[in-house]
Amino acid sequence: LHHIISTREYSREMLDEILDMAEKLEPIARGEKTTKIMDGKLLALLFFEPSTRTRMSFETAMLRLGGQIINMGSVEASSIAKGESLADTIRVVSRYADAVVLRHPREGAALMASEFSSSPIINGGDGAGHHPTQTLLDLYTIRRESRLDHLNIALAGDLKYGRTVHSLCYALSRYGAQINLVSPRELELPKRIVDDLKARDIKVHIAHSMEDVIEEVDVLYMTRIQKERFPDPAEFNRVSNSMRITEELIEGCKPNLKIMHPLPRVNEISPAVDKTEHAAYFKQAFYGVPVRMAILCKVLGVDL
Ligand code: CP
């Protein structure tokens, strides 16, 4: 089975293959062309945490390709509320569908699910662990809106709990990126990931202020402080509002700087930035559709 769990082991060839497929699928994602290549295929959505983009872009991707969706809906409306385990849920749902997208608050849940599943598991985010399909759409956005090779990028915000940056670091390492890690001291990238990057000969620069890097970078990837992952609310209160992108901050930036964000944002990007040519985050959210189409084709073995 072709599970999608983490980007840690992905080669540049594997990443490029998905991005190339996504490029071919973009006209279908935009509704400019139609296809039925997924006719008869069924995708199950199991979301144990809230989502707008991941859930709805997978739905859009499957429907635009001519496939169909089954959705567990809310945890409260499922037998999880009666105490059913994740393992049993996966054993059952993977027999109904050709592939399963799982989002779960526990790190490692997707890997665990893959051991019980009779169809491919796609990790739609596992706690503070990984979010590999977000990474593929992030790479696609960088390729479309900036450049992937020898990129100078800042990953900013909550690098401790932010699963999108954990997955993105590993993928960027395949393209020789210079990675600036900008966060409050309490929310630095876990040391094991920094060590992995250094072992791959990636230039890593740790900073605690966006002013330190803003003039140098090609891409500024902002993330939300992950309130829901803090064991202690007081700890969250200490770091919330600590980093914010404003028009003033980007005054001295490179003319072609692209600002990205996996979304949702709370207050870490001023709405005034939306109208600047630097803002790429809404395009990024759209690119989730062709990229997830490509992922579905790969996982389900469907030829373009
Ligand atoms: N970027 C992302 O995962 O968004 P959702 O939480 O809305 O799916």
Side-chain angles (χ1 to χ4, degrees):
L1 294 179
H2 193 120
H3 303 292
I4 305 273
I5 307 296
S6 153
T7 54
R8 192 167 181 271
E9 308 306 335
Y10 284 8
S11 66
R12 180 173 173 150
E13 289 68 34
M14 288 167 71
L15 297 166
D16 283 342
E17 185 192 350
I18 301 275
L19 305 189
D20 292 343
M21 283 168 78
E23 201 167 293
K24 292 195 184 106
L25 289 161
E26 224 189 278
I28 299 165
R30 292 187 186 282
E32 293 159 6
K33 285 187 184 172
T34 58
T35 181
K36 290 283 174 203
I37 55 174
M38 284 284 174
D39 191 21
K41 299 283 187 197
L42 206 48
L43 179 67
L45 302 178
L46 288 184
F47 278 66
F48 291 74
E49 277 192 335
S51 168
T52 297
R53 278 146 292 274
T54 309
R55 184 172 54 80
M56 295 191 71
S57 63
F58 264 116
E59 285 181 356
T60 307
M62 196 59 181
L63 294 172
R64 290 265 196 221
L65 291 172
Q68 290 181 298
I69 303 286
I70 53 171
N71 192 343
M72 182 182 78
S74 70
V75 170
E76 293 72 31
S78 76
S79 284
I80 301 286
K82 301 180 208 165
E84 187 165 39
S85 68
L86 176 61
D88 281 358
T89 305
I90 292 291
R91 282 184 176 110
V92 172
V93 175
S94 66
R95 285 175 163 84
Y96 295 159
D98 299 294
V100 178
V101 183
L102 173 69
R103 170 168 289 188
H104 198 277
R106 196 166 67 236
E107 190 170 341
L111 181 63
M112 187 276 264
S114 68
E115 287 159 20
F116 298 99
S117 184
S118 51
S119 54
I121 294 289
I122 302 173
N123 183 2
D126 60 325
H130 290 273
H131 196 346
T133 69
Q134 176 72 43
T135 285
L136 284 157
L137 78 91
D138 293 340
L139 292 182
Y140 188 76
T141 306
I142 296 169
R143 192 166 96 164
R144 290 282 266 104
E145 304 296 325
S146 180
R147 65 162 201 276
L148 262 174
D149 274 310
H150 305 296
L151 181 75
N152 190 342
I153 185 169
L155 307 178
D158 184 349
L159 308 184
K160 179 178 180 183
Y161 297 118
R163 58 195 172 198
T164 64
V165 289
H166 299 168
S167 293
L168 185 55
C169 281
Y170 286 114
L172 287 170
S173 74
R174 302 300 190 196
Y175 295 89
Q178 169 160 347
I179 302 178
N180 300 277
L181 301 169
V182 190
S183 69
R185 285 180 197 281
E186 298 90 331
L187 298 179
E188 287 181 356
L189 193 70
K191 185 174 176 304
R192 67 187 148 78
I193 303 180
V194 176
D195 289 345
D196 277 349
L197 294 175
K198 287 181 178 165
R200 292 178 182 198
D201 280 336
I202 293 303
K203 284 186 218 143
V204 178
H205 168 225
I206 295 176
H208 300 102
S209 153
M210 287 197 285
E211 282 81 358
D212 288 351
V213 300
I214 193 66
E215 291 178 10
E216 308 297 325
V217 294
D218 306 302
V219 170
L220 172 53
Y221 188 99
M222 192 65 197
T223 60
R224 175 178 66 89
I225 311 272
Q226 307 278 300
K227 184 178 182 182
E228 64 276 27
R229 311 261 178 248
F230 281 73
D232 176 5
E235 203 185 309
F236 168 74
N237 290 335
R238 271 197 296 280
V239 290
S240 63
N241 303 319
S242 54
M243 290 204 163
R244 185 166 155 83
I245 303 178
T246 60
E247 282 180 300
E248 295 72 47
L249 175 80
I250 58 177
E251 259 168 21
C253 71
K254 286 186 176 175
N256 53 357
L257 170 76
K258 294 298 171 194
I259 300 171
M260 295 173 58
H261 192 308
L263 303 177
R265 72 173 149 182
V266 181
N267 57 2
E268 60 278 3
I269 303 179
S270 158
V273 175
D274 296 358
K275 63 179 187 311
T276 70
E277 60 197 28
H278 304 294
Y281 28 92
F282 294 119
K283 279 186 184 172
Q284 181 185 353
F286 165 72
Y287 292 141
V289 178
V291 169
R292 289 181 168 123
M293 283 177 164
I295 291 167
L296 290 171
C297 288
K298 181 83 186 154
V299 162
L300 294 171
V302 172
D303 232 333
L304 297 194

